[in-house]
């Protein structure tokens, strides 16, 4: 499963969203992520939420959106660098 959750407002990043969104919008977005994960059947076995922020974070589309990834074991996402 790979699906997106996009807030209704025009937000560039999570930083922008955290600074400008109302408490109601923030709550609604978190509830939407949980609802979509449940509808897609990944809530119980587990899933990953990912949002790329800024150029160094891999953000290509200048609009906040969350990727919901699940349906298989995702394993470790980051490798510790020394």
């Amino acid at each position: 499963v790979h699906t997106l959750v996009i807030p209704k407002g025009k937000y560039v990043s999570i930083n922008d969203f955290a600074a400008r969104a109302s408490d109601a919008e923030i709550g609604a977005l978190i509830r939407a992520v949980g609802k979509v994960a449940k509808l897609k059947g990944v809530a119980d076995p587990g899933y990953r939420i990912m949002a790329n922020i800024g150029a160094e974070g891999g953000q290509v589309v200048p609009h906040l959106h969350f990727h919901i990834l699940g349906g298989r074991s995702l394993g470790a996402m980051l490798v510790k660098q020394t």
Side-chain angles (χ1 to χ4, degrees), residues 11-19 29 51-53 59 64 66:
Y11 300 103
V12 176
S13 68
I14 192 71
N15 301 325
D16 183 32
F17 185 70
L29 180 66
N52 299 327
I53 311 302
Q59 186 175 15
L64 176 62
F66 292 89

Side-chain angles (χ1 to χ4, degrees), residues 3-46:
T3 192
L4 298 177
V5 174
I6 304 168
K8 290 183 180 181
K10 293 184 178 183
Y11 300 103
V12 176
S13 68
I14 192 71
N15 301 325
D16 183 32
F17 185 70
R20 297 189 310 112
S22 68
D23 290 346
E25 286 177 291
I26 294 169
L29 180 66
I30 297 302
R31 285 192 176 92
V33 167
K35 183 177 182 178
V36 169
K38 186 173 183 176
L39 287 171
K40 294 293 185 176
V42 296
D44 290 332

Side-chain angles (χ1 to χ4, degrees), residues 56 76-82:
E56 289 190 17
M77 186 171 168
L78 301 175
V79 176
K80 184 178 178 182
Q81 296 180 357
T82 56

